[in-house]
């Protein structure tokens, strides 16, 4: 049995289809206040399974917006239980005074796209039914819901927003998208992807796309190439406000910029592009207590207040 795909230190895929993942340090949920917030794990759909972690700031005095977060990892790795995500999202709930619901969706290659989109959309359906049942959502304002995620999770947030627009039966109102270093692609290479020294980055991205998109698809699959999804003018007109965060040292910066420019061409009403200079891809997960991460959390909080 041989290894057919590998991201060293994170995942190995073998010739028989089996997958071995290497989880970094994880953080347990705690219903005791730590750092100004408490957290607990919830089961969203036990049959799949889909789970989540709720972060609730201490002593909320009024109704709070809800931020639904989708972790990154090329659709193949990652979890809201990872230490970096736990600290980042817990602190974000305090800074933004919001309830954060972070989703653990099913992963590729065992569950290829569009499974992640369907799982994460179902978390909104679950949220809409739990507001009167789950005590931690007692002060959740479902008229102010935001979708966010990093890398593949930013990609997911985009596609979940489109699914929400097409189904107005949900008892939630998506006010904005906050995409951190979003992961998109296409068959056509960009200037940065063709540049000298890019080969190893391109190969790793291609590997994750090959593991996550449906068999017999290519990188022009709608989940990879955002220009390939059939979205009407009417749907673009009601698309929520969007902020795209890119990092100056991130190989995916170019793709994030292209996404923001694409939305502007589609005349989405409110699109912002914010760059963090001298930082790398998903720095907020690797360095959740850094000053750059603190700034990102403040920027996200400001966007939520403005929308």
């Amino acid at each position: 049995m041989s290894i057919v795909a590998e991201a060293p230190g994170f995942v190995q895929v073998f010739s028989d289809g089996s997958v071995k993942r290497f989880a970094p340090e994880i953080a347990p949920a705690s219903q005791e206040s730590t750092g100004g917030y408490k957290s607990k794990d919830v089961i969203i759909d036990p049959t799949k399974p889909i789970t989540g972690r709720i972060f609730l700031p201490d002593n909320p005095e009024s109704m709070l917006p809800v931020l639904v977060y989708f972790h990154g990892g090329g659709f193949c790795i990652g979890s809201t239980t990872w230490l970096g995500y736990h600290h980042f999202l817990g602190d974000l709930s305090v800074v933004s005074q919001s309830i954060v619901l972070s989703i653990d969706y099913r992963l590729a290659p065992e569950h290829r796209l569009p499974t992640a989109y369907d799982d994460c959309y179902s978390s909104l359906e679950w949220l809409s039914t739990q507001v009167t049942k789950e005590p931690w959502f007692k002060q959740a304002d479902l008229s102010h819901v935001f979708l966010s995620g990093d890398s593949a999770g930013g990609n997911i947030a985009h596609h979940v927003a489109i699914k929400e627009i097409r189904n107005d039966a949900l008892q939630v109102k998506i006010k904005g998208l906050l995409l951190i270093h979003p992961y998109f692609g296409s068959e056509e290479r960009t200037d940065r992807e063709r540049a000298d020294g890019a080969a190893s980055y391109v190969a790793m991205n291609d590997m994750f796309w090959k593991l996550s998109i449906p068999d017999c698809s290519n990188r022009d699959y709608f989940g990879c190439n955002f220009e390939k999804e059939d979205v009407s003018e009417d749907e673009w007109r009601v698309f929520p406000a969007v902020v795209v965060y890119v990092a100056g040292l991130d190989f995916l910066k170019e793709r994030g910029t292209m996404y923001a420019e694409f939305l502007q061409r589609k005349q989405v009403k409110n699109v912002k592009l914010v760059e963090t200079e001298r930082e790398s891809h998903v720095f907020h997960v690797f360095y959740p207590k850094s000053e750059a991460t603190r700034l990102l959390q403040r920027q996200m909080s400001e966007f939520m207040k403005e929308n």
Side-chain angles (χ1 to χ4, degrees):
M1 185 171 62
S2 59
I3 296 174
V4 296
E6 180 178 22
F10 289 99
V11 65
Q12 293 175 330
V13 181
F14 297 91
S15 55
D16 67 350
S18 61
V19 180
K20 183 177 182 180
R21 294 182 175 87
F22 304 87
E25 186 176 359
I26 63 173
S30 175
Q31 297 191 36
E32 299 295 325
S33 176
T34 55
Y37 65 88
K38 56 185 180 178
S39 58
K40 80 170 179 177
D41 294 331
V42 292
I43 298 174
I44 293 172
D45 187 336
T47 67
K48 291 186 169 55
I50 308 168
T51 60
R53 179 167 290 184
I54 305 172
F55 298 86
L56 182 68
D58 292 344
N59 305 315
E61 297 180 357
S62 59
M63 300 296 286
L64 300 179
V66 178
L67 183 137
V68 184
Y69 195 90
F70 312 118
H71 67 75
F75 303 101
C76 297
I77 58 175
S79 171
T80 188
T81 64
W82 285 11
L83 186 66
Y85 282 118
H86 181 86
H87 285 308
F88 172 72
L89 295 173
D91 291 342
L92 177 61
S93 74
V94 177
V95 173
S96 63
Q97 283 298 288
S98 66
I99 299 171
V100 176
L101 172 63
S102 182
I103 308 303
D104 269 349
Y105 49 89
R106 288 175 292 172
L107 300 174
E110 302 96 321
H111 304 283
R112 293 174 177 268
L113 295 175
T115 297
Y117 305 146
D118 296 337
D119 285 0
C120 290
Y121 179 78
S122 71
S123 72
L124 294 186
E125 296 176 316
W126 178 85
L127 174 63
S128 68
T129 65
Q130 291 296 310
V131 70
T132 58
K133 301 175 183 178
E134 169 55 60
W136 283 34
F137 291 147
K138 181 179 179 181
Q139 290 175 267
D141 181 358
L142 296 193
S143 68
H144 284 78
V145 175
F146 296 84
L147 304 181
S148 184
D150 61 274
S151 197
N155 176 308
I156 291 170
H158 167 79
H159 289 287
V160 170
I162 292 174
K163 289 173 71 71
E164 190 276 334
I165 288 170
R166 292 170 175 170
N167 181 6
D168 58 6
L170 287 183
Q171 301 302 309
V172 299
K173 175 64 176 176
I174 307 301
K175 300 292 287 185
L177 275 61
L178 303 89
L179 276 60
I180 306 171
H181 317 157
Y183 181 48
F184 294 108
S186 64
E187 280 293 299
E188 182 179 357
R189 301 298 189 190
T190 65
D191 290 342
R192 192 165 190 175
E193 291 165 353
R194 287 191 292 261
D196 291 342
S200 62
Y201 295 102
V202 171
M204 185 61 68
N205 284 338
D206 285 357
M207 182 198 75
F208 276 114
W209 284 122
K210 185 177 180 181
L211 293 173
S212 60
I213 61 178
D215 290 328
C216 302
S217 297
N218 62 23
R219 294 188 308 277
D220 282 335
Y221 173 68
F222 80 93
C224 180
N225 187 343
F226 49 75
E227 296 194 26
K228 298 300 182 180
E229 182 158 20
D230 186 15
V231 181
S232 70
E233 291 184 7
D234 288 342
E235 288 168 337
W236 285 126
R237 271 195 288 269
V238 296
F239 204 77
V242 181
V243 58
V244 182
Y245 300 99
V246 296
L249 303 180
D250 184 7
F251 186 72
L252 293 180
K253 172 188 170 183
E254 185 180 37
R255 290 286 183 181
T257 302
M258 291 168 61
Y259 171 73
E261 292 172 346
F262 172 76
L263 294 185
Q264 290 169 340
R265 292 197 302 274
K266 293 298 183 179
Q267 299 183 331
V268 172
K269 57 188 174 184
N270 184 356
V271 182
K272 294 176 62 176
L273 179 68
V274 178
E275 179 176 349
T276 306
E277 298 180 350
R278 298 184 299 278
E279 294 292 342
S280 299
H281 190 61
V282 297
F283 65 85
H284 63 293
V285 181
F286 292 106
Y287 307 103
K289 299 294 185 180
S290 70
E291 183 50 44
T293 297
R294 299 294 193 201
L295 175 60
L296 174 62
Q297 290 164 336
R298 292 194 298 270
Q299 291 169 333
M300 294 175 72
S301 177
E302 290 168 5
F303 177 84
M304 294 170 69
K305 287 180 172 61
E306 290 169 358
N307 292 280

